[in-house]
Amino acid sequence: MRQAGKNKLPCLPVALGELDIFLFGQGKHWDLYRVLGAHPHDGPEGSGYRFAVWAPNARSVSVVTDQNDWTPGRQSLHPVAASGIWAGFIPGFEKGWLYKFAVEQKHGGIVEKADPFALCTEMRPGIAARAWDLDSYAWNDAAWMAERREKGLPLNEAVSFYEVHPGSWRWKSAEYGSFYSYRDLAETLVPYVRDLGFTHIEFMPLAEHPLDESWGYQTGHYFAPTSRFGTPEELRYLIDVCHQNGIGVILDWVPAHFPKDTWGLGRFDGTGLFEHEDPRQGEHPDWGTYVFNYDRHEVKNFLLANALYWFKEFHIDGLRIDAVASMIYLDYSREEGQWIPNQYGGKENIAAIELMRELNTVVHDHFPGACMIAEESTSWAGVSRPVYTGGLGFTFKWNMGWMNDTLDYFSKDPIYRGFHQNQLTFSMLYAFHENFILPLSHDEVTHGKGALISKMPGDQWQQMANLRLFLAYMWAHPGKKLLFMGCEFGQWKEWNSREPLDWVLMDFPSHRGVSELVRALNRVHKDHPSMHAKDNDWTGFEWVDLSDYAASVITFLRKSPTGAPVLWAFNFTPIVRESYAVGCRIPGYWREIVNTDSALFGGTNAGNGGGVMAQSAAYGNWPHYLSLTLPPLAAVAFTPE
């Protein structure tokens, strides 16, 4: 490698394809990341790197690098006619060298900017890009990718997500920053998740971000996997290993806003380029960030190409879109006078809505079987309905209402729960309006909210029993499942991104019991079609009894056309209820397939001895009934044999 300051070769003009420029102007260049940014190139002068950046209002743009002493003007890019793009070729530039763009802005002054299309970056706190390439990894997941295409969307499959913040899942030592690498995670996280039976890992944002405490939600480099854990090829390896072990990978993605750092996208050429100039449209008051200008074709193309990049170049299986509500409402978190109505006088952000619809259409068209997931916290209709029916086109929507109501119910002392049973039953009024995911995410166990188990009332035994009951209720309820790391073994302390999980708790039987229960729930969820095949359809659910407020007991059936029904009974009090009658249609023996009070899970082993015979007498509108023992603060599930 050359010594810093030795590369004095000029930046030579380089041609960009007319079709590339046309598609970019239309906002429809799906491989834009192969045109803009820095890419290996062979010219008459030898091999090197070709650079291109969109800065239509800049006076000049040059490449500054550790090879030219970071001096603006030495290697100037050339304007590409009628495109707003500056481009050039530097012979002798090598992979791994650091670079930035020195942008002489519209109103004067030169600002060093990070490459918006950087494929790799230096380790924080540095923000320079590393010259990299896209084609240095050989994939070994052809079988997985083919099966995903053939199966299509997993709407009727057993799906459970394990949400992970890789910087705090495990550490190599007690020293902050001793993160597991992508390769370490391939060796440890993947078998752990596979053993617990989760079908997917959902990673919090892995795009490069300068501040650890932002957890990736203030993205600095949209096309560069964070260097905290290794190289882009090592992230590909991690995803490849996931696929070879039958585990899908979802990435959190943040198209709603971006940081105001002077080196970033904001005021890139001295104007509101990626963001609106007007702060009523271009700034987020809560987060102190810029909002993308979704009206601009080139900005829309930046986001669409970025989403497709993760699917095409990293083989991910889905994107979870953060803060969708903040995108589709112009008045989101704004007072009167702080926002501008759309052309019809409404509060809907029409450009953002159209971006979501086009994004979902293009992803589903290009990558059959891939999931698009919305974190949308309002009652917007049709989030997970097809675009051709007027929906936003997402595959799934997070069910925030279920999460809030259920956590609030479980936080109450059991003596009061009978007065709030509607918090459990209300969700069934809208459970099939969308394709829902039931989320217990990182947001519920941080910022003073406490750990999941700390929300449960009672002494330590009751808290553990309540946690097991909560998890069983979550898995039994219609909808796909998402559980944040640490909740699967009952971590006591609130999640802190600067500390690893309390793995020492796995030495205690009660915590191992919670983990065993999660494994059992995933197995039941997968093995019984009635537990997942009709997640999005009323025909997959039937109340048996939702009216026993006095006992704080509810019972329901999960059903499917291809499997035996599963009867669930939940006792939300610490009182053992013996000879509790539950109506059923099918005579004969009903086998107990789940009992959260089992000693295996840390319970008292109260229950039904493995199953019960249906009584032939009618019970209410049911031709038969089961006489059950309902353990304290526990769920039991049965299926007929």
Side-chain angles (χ1 to χ4, degrees), residues 118-318:
L119 303 176
C120 184
T121 66
E122 64 178 328
M123 179 71 79
R124 69 186 191 329
I127 51 84
R130 288 192 184 278
W132 214 255
D133 63 64
L134 285 167
D135 304 309
S136 298
Y137 184 81
W139 288 90
N140 297 287
D141 64 347
W144 170 274
M145 300 297 283
E147 184 178 8
R148 192 184 77 185
R149 287 191 297 271
E150 182 179 344
K151 281 187 174 181
L153 296 173
L155 295 173
N156 299 319
E157 296 180 17
V159 175
S160 58
F161 304 87
Y162 183 67
E163 189 189 22
V164 174
H165 178 258
S168 59
W169 185 69
R170 283 186 186 270
W171 288 358
K172 294 179 179 179
S173 71
E175 181 181 358
Y176 180 73
S178 61
F179 306 132
Y180 271 29
S181 69
Y182 294 126
R183 286 191 170 272
D184 292 329
L185 292 169
E187 294 175 3
T188 55
L189 175 64
V190 173
Y192 179 78
V193 170
R194 182 186 60 195
D195 177 63
L196 286 176
F198 287 95
T199 61
H200 292 72
I201 298 172
E202 181 175 316
F203 287 108
M204 293 165 68
L206 290 178
E208 190 62 88
H209 49 282
L211 183 66
D212 292 353
E213 287 78 5
S214 80
W215 312 333
Y217 293 100
Q218 297 222 2
T219 304
H221 297 82
Y222 273 78
F223 289 84
T226 176
S227 57
R228 288 169 178 79
F229 316 123
T231 66
E233 286 73 29
E234 288 170 328
L235 174 56
R236 290 181 173 97
Y237 174 77
L238 169 58
I239 296 170
D240 203 349
V241 171
C242 285
H243 288 172
Q244 292 173 52
N245 283 271
I247 297 169
V249 176
I250 308 295
L251 289 187
D252 277 14
W253 187 55
V254 191
H257 63 115
F258 59 92
K260 290 184 176 181
D261 301 272
T262 57
W263 52 265
L265 297 176
R267 302 297 188 264
F268 194 84
D269 59 6
T271 68
L273 190 62
F274 288 88
E275 74 280 16
H276 283 278
E277 287 277 7
D278 192 323
R280 292 175 297 174
Q281 295 173 284
E283 296 186 23
H284 196 292
D286 285 351
W287 302 326
T289 51
Y290 286 128
V291 177
F292 283 104
N293 183 352
Y294 308 112
D295 289 295
R296 193 160 195 164
H297 288 171
E298 297 89 345
V299 175
K300 182 178 73 171
N301 202 159
F302 173 83
L303 292 170
L304 290 170
N306 182 241
L308 295 170
Y309 165 79
W310 292 105
F311 283 105
K312 186 172 183 178
E313 307 298 340
F314 287 85
H315 289 202
I316 65 164
D317 301 287

Side-chain angles (χ1 to χ4, degrees), residues 599-612:
L600 176 65
F601 307 138
T604 65
N605 239 12
N608 299 276
V612 294

Side-chain angles (χ1 to χ4, degrees), residues 344-401:
Y344 305 109
K347 62 182 180 180
E348 298 80 14
N349 189 334
I350 294 173
I353 293 166
E354 290 307 310
L355 170 68
M356 292 292 97
R357 287 173 170 163
E358 184 170 7
L359 167 68
N360 291 322
T361 300
V362 172
V363 168
H364 287 139
D365 182 47
H366 286 226
F367 303 99
C371 297
M372 298 296 289
I373 302 167
E375 185 221 8
E376 202 286 311
S377 54
T378 74
S379 57
W380 186 282
V383 171
S384 60
R385 294 296 177 253
V387 170
Y388 61 78
T389 67
L392 294 185
F394 285 95
T395 317
F396 297 112
K397 173 183 174 175
W398 276 20
N399 192 336
M400 309 296 280

